[in-house]
Amino acid sequence: MSYSAAMRARLSDIAQQADVSEATVSRVLNDRPGVAPETRQAVLTALDVLGYERPARLRKRSAGLVGLVVPELDNPIFPAFAQIIESALAPTGYTPVLCTQTPGGVREDEYVEMLLDRQVSGIVFVSGLHADTAADHDRYRTLIARPLPIVMINGYAPGIPAPFVSCDDREAAELAVAHLVALGHRRIGLITGPDRFVPVQRKVNGYKTAMRRLAGVDDDELAELTELSLFGVEGGEAAAGRLIERGATGIVCGSDLMALGAIRAARQRGLAVPADLSVVGYDDSPLMAFTDPPLTTMRQPVAAMAVAAVRALVDEINGHGAPHSEYLFRPELVVRGSTAVSPHAT
């Protein structure tokens, strides 16, 4: 095959992979204007996927490293955040350094020291110690004073002068309760994590507000229907067992994994979900549409939140100074098969 024929074959492959014309591929490879940024990125991605080397003029030099500190990856919502943050960073030239915390493993402060040694340009913290009201937040003020740009996802601390990006946990709990009340439930329980965490406090607040307003429940009954447990399937299962024994017909959960634990607790007691017990999760993490039954849940707008966090961090790095306030993103109720009309509804 001649050189020109090989080049045409390569252009054809790239065009097909990127779903653009060969002329567009040619313009990108020759670094000519008139191509939309997203189209240019699609062509470059196609080059990488097909194993072709980028022309020297198109090889983007790394703008530097960015730390990304996330909790354990057992909960699929955290890998989802990490993946989208990485994708959002790619066009900026920054490369994320993923730091995953595990129980008994490397602590957040140790990761931060490692990241500082690597001279990162900034750090994104996802559900870190900033969300823990019992933690000392001076660690973040020290980073800002260096100065090192930081952005926090999910968990607001008013004393830290940095951008925060959060899902509105209070509204999520209110919407979940409203959904169950509309289905005729009144004995609606709440399962979530330890109350020292800001997102937990907000969910409890939203839950109690909605239960008083929509179900006419008093404080004594609310105390009986609120269960704070450990995050995860096991914590959800244990807490749900106690709520089922107290006559709950619907349960709002602080995470999808806790909701899966609640479903397990119901089945161990011979109850059917949703015929006997309705369960609402939180996150809409990957694969929740394929559980048995498919999980009704409050969806965090992970993509929008991750992109906002990256934009704020890059603005901070570039000296543009993103506002030091909290950006609240609205959750979305996703109704699937784990909720139904209350068995006690008339």
Side-chain angles (χ1 to χ4, degrees):
M1 184 183 291
S2 68
Y3 173 81
S4 59
M7 176 59 73
R8 279 197 303 274
R10 187 173 77 166
L11 287 177
S12 175
D13 290 343
I14 298 168
Q16 184 175 6
Q17 178 70 30
D19 196 22
V20 297
S21 68
E22 291 183 29
T24 298
V25 173
S26 179
R27 293 184 75 85
V28 172
L29 294 181
N30 290 293
D31 202 19
R32 292 178 180 165
V35 181
E38 57 270 21
T39 303
R40 184 178 299 272
Q41 186 60 46
V43 171
L44 294 177
T45 300
L47 273 175
D48 297 338
V49 168
L50 294 172
Y52 293 129
E53 187 174 351
R54 294 188 184 192
R57 60 181 168 272
L58 297 180
R59 293 174 201 161
K60 194 173 205 175
R61 291 185 61 197
S62 173
L65 302 175
V66 166
L68 175 55
V69 182
V70 300
E72 41 73 30
L73 298 181
D74 290 343
N75 186 334
I77 199 66
F78 296 127
F81 267 115
Q83 183 177 15
I84 296 171
I85 288 171
E86 181 178 11
S87 297
L89 279 170
T92 72
Y94 287 97
T95 302
V97 179
L98 180 62
C99 300
T100 304
Q101 299 177 73
T102 55
V106 180
R107 295 179 296 110
E108 182 177 304
D109 290 341
E110 294 171 326
Y111 272 133
V112 168
E113 287 302 318
M114 292 164 55
L115 292 171
L116 293 176
D117 287 343
R118 298 187 71 172
Q119 298 182 315
V120 295
S121 300
I123 303 177
V124 178
F125 294 92
V126 182
S127 299
L129 290 172
H130 63 278
D132 189 343
T133 59
D136 183 357
H137 292 158
D138 281 344
R139 52 173 51 87
Y140 301 113
R141 287 184 278 269
T142 300
L143 289 175
I144 293 167
R146 287 183 68 94
L148 183 76
I150 61 175
V151 174
M152 319 291 199
I153 296 179
N154 281 338
Y156 179 58
I160 303 174
F164 289 82
V165 175
S166 301
C167 186
D168 193 335
D169 295 284
R170 185 178 293 106
E171 183 177 10
E174 291 188 19
L175 289 172
V177 169
H179 170 63
L180 292 175
V181 169
L183 291 172
H185 295 272
R186 184 182 175 280
R187 293 283 290 177
I188 301 169
L190 173 70
I191 296 172
T192 188
D195 64 358
R196 69 177 190 270
F197 296 110
V198 172
V200 170
Q201 295 173 0
R202 291 176 169 180
K203 286 186 179 76
V204 171
N205 183 283
Y207 162 78
K208 289 183 175 180
T209 298
M211 288 291 286
R212 291 188 188 105
R213 186 178 74 248
L214 301 176
V217 175
D218 60 29
D219 288 349
D220 289 340
E221 193 172 359
L222 280 175
E224 186 182 57
L225 289 170
T226 303
E227 279 287 338
L228 303 184
S229 184
L230 297 176
F231 282 115
V233 174
E234 293 77 12
E237 181 180 353
R242 294 189 288 271
L243 289 176
I244 290 169
E245 290 168 5
R246 295 171 199 156
T249 63
I251 298 179
V252 175
C253 300
S255 73
D256 289 338
L257 293 185
M258 296 187 95
L260 296 182
I263 292 172
R264 181 194 288 177
R267 288 182 172 156
Q268 286 178 343
R269 288 160 176 78
L271 302 177
V273 176
D276 301 309
L277 180 73
S278 286
V279 177
V280 181
Y282 177 86
D283 283 333
D284 194 28
S285 44
L287 304 181
M288 289 306 112
F290 306 101
T291 58
D292 180 24
L295 188 66
T296 295
T297 188
M298 299 305 308
R299 174 182 292 160
Q300 279 200 77
V302 173
M305 292 170 63
V307 168
V310 167
R311 285 177 179 167
L313 185 72
V314 172
D315 283 347
E316 290 275 300
I317 292 171
N318 292 335
H320 300 318
H324 295 163
S325 57
E326 184 179 29
Y327 302 87
L328 276 179
F329 285 74
R330 183 182 175 88
E332 178 188 353
L333 173 66
V334 180
V335 179
R336 297 195 181 104
S338 65
T339 52
V341 174
S342 168
H344 303 314
T346 55

